[in-house]
Amino acid sequence: MSLFVHKYGGTSMGSIERIQNVARRVAKWHAAGHKVVVVPSAMSGETNRLLGLAHELSNQPDGRELDMLSATGEQASSALLAMALQALGVPARSYTGWQVPVKTDSSYTRARIRSIDQAKIRADLDMGKVVVVTGFQGVDDELNITTLGRGGSDTSAVAIAAVLEATECLIYTDVDGVYTTDPRIVSSARRLKVLSFEEMLEMASLGSKVLQIRAVEFAGKYQVPVRVLSSLTEPDIALQDEMASGTLITFEEDHKMESAIVSGIAFSRDEAKMTLLAVPDTPGVAYSILGPVAAANIDVDMIVQNQSVEGMTDFSFTVNRNDAERTYELLKTQVAPAVGAGDVVADDHVCKVSIVGIGMRSHVGVASLMFRTLSEENINIQMISTSEIKTSVVINDKYMELAVRALHKAFELDQEYNQAVGQAIEKSVNNSTNN
Ligand code: ASP
Ligand code: MG
């Protein structure tokens, strides 16, 4: 007998019939003798509907009241799920965040979990009940209701799994796992059976939207095994099959990974590139450019400073596309005059494409196959950044899909890793380094 946390997304909770399906699935786990805590999202569309109402009243609704409002979606779906379970004869009880309590800081609409009291949950589990806990919400020290940011139920589930030391945190969703890349772009994209936590972190932060990034960070910090799996299968498929389905996100040391060099390709269109032209290349120049940007709370991703020619250089960096206008204004009106730059150019027709894989650690030259593949497609690389387990490039966004397809093919991600493929990749890597 083991303890499992199940998380169901808004689509899975989207109608009474679907809630009944969730209840049947949970009942199956319960009947097999497992302890189950279920964390549901609000019914699909509900959070948007509530936030929409708020924005009809005000352009900038008060954060406290927004959380008071949007937390109700999860309260409703949790109660409905508990009733659906009871209707099947399964003892069940639901709790809101403040009842548990799930304690958070006071940053409304993006609060962080500080602690979770497990007493009530444990007591109910020990009495054989299924416990339903609202996702997305918590309570601060002054008993104000808080929410964890959009998609925050993932984080709730992982955090609850962490305190209860659950065997696995199962994230049921409308896709059946994590893919080598978005199957809407590459039809031969393959579901990964296992992915390391570090790879998932890169995939999530690089725009693969299967899991909220903070949930992945939490899973890493507390070493919670997370499985992403489909909620659209028949609720009464064999438990053994369900337990082995989806994608398991786990820790490198405790299992044998598929030993592919590259596991996946992530991409994001949410990018904009800023360039300051003809900046005097003097000590402190990067600081005088990026200091004010950081002070304005704008996240900078990639940074490139060119070789200087006659004491002048170009300085480029990327920001989230949502921050593009704000950044441009700041550079144009304050930074450029202060550092004596020639001009500022903003380009929001860029995207970022990345190859991700822990195998890159032990294989040199993987990036060169990436660069060669892009050059064969005549795609110009504007910026490059690397870490131990990923290489990212910034390119014109009209080539994004082409780049993703070409890279997926070049790294043979449509096939399970086998030695022959690995050798072929290594050979082409070596060829390109010899050229
Ligand atoms: N209901 C919240 C949202 O739509 C939280 C979640 O679904 O994870 O963002
Ligand atoms: Mg979600």
PDB file of all heavy atoms in Angstrom, residues 7 9 41 151 154, ligand 2:
ATOM      1  N   LYS A   7      -3.196  14.862  -9.383  1.00  0.00           N
ATOM      2  CA  LYS A   7      -3.623  16.228  -9.709  1.00  0.00           C
ATOM      3  C   LYS A   7      -4.385  16.180 -11.030  1.00  0.00           C
ATOM      4  O   LYS A   7      -3.913  15.565 -11.997  1.00  0.00           O
ATOM      5  CB  LYS A   7      -2.400  17.149  -9.807  1.00  0.00           C
ATOM      6  CG  LYS A   7      -2.759  18.609 -10.041  1.00  0.00           C
ATOM      7  CD  LYS A   7      -2.621  18.995 -11.484  1.00  0.00           C
ATOM      8  CE  LYS A   7      -3.230  20.352 -11.769  1.00  0.00           C
ATOM      9  NZ  LYS A   7      -3.082  20.726 -13.187  1.00  0.00           N
ATOM     10  N   GLY A   9      -6.195  18.487 -14.010  1.00  0.00           N
ATOM     11  CA  GLY A   9      -6.282  19.821 -14.592  1.00  0.00           C
ATOM     12  C   GLY A   9      -7.725  20.222 -14.887  1.00  0.00           C
ATOM     13  O   GLY A   9      -8.657  19.421 -14.742  1.00  0.00           O
ATOM     14  N   SER A  41      -7.840  21.157 -10.192  1.00  0.00           N
ATOM     15  CA  SER A  41      -7.927  22.548 -10.651  1.00  0.00           C
ATOM     16  C   SER A  41      -9.398  22.951 -10.674  1.00  0.00           C
ATOM     17  O   SER A  41     -10.277  22.111 -10.527  1.00  0.00           O
ATOM     18  CB  SER A  41      -7.409  22.681 -12.091  1.00  0.00           C
ATOM     19  OG  SER A  41      -6.033  22.545 -12.146  1.00  0.00           O
ATOM     20  N   GLY A 151      -1.804  28.244 -13.325  1.00  0.00           N
ATOM     21  CA  GLY A 151      -1.246  26.896 -13.415  1.00  0.00           C
ATOM     22  C   GLY A 151      -0.732  26.386 -12.082  1.00  0.00           C
ATOM     23  O   GLY A 151      -0.082  25.340 -12.001  1.00  0.00           O
ATOM     24  N   ASP A 154      -0.485  22.612 -10.126  1.00  0.00           N
ATOM     25  CA  ASP A 154       0.645  21.677 -10.263  1.00  0.00           C
ATOM     26  C   ASP A 154       1.556  21.809  -9.045  1.00  0.00           C
ATOM     27  O   ASP A 154       1.989  20.811  -8.458  1.00  0.00           O
ATOM     28  CB  ASP A 154       1.488  22.001 -11.512  1.00  0.00           C
ATOM     29  CG  ASP A 154       0.757  21.728 -12.815  1.00  0.00           C
ATOM     30  OD1 ASP A 154      -0.248  21.009 -12.787  1.00  0.00           O
ATOM     31  OD2 ASP A 154       1.206  22.247 -13.861  1.00  0.00           O
TER      32      ASP A 154
HETATM   33 MG    MG B   2      -2.491  23.446 -15.830  1.00  0.00          MG
END
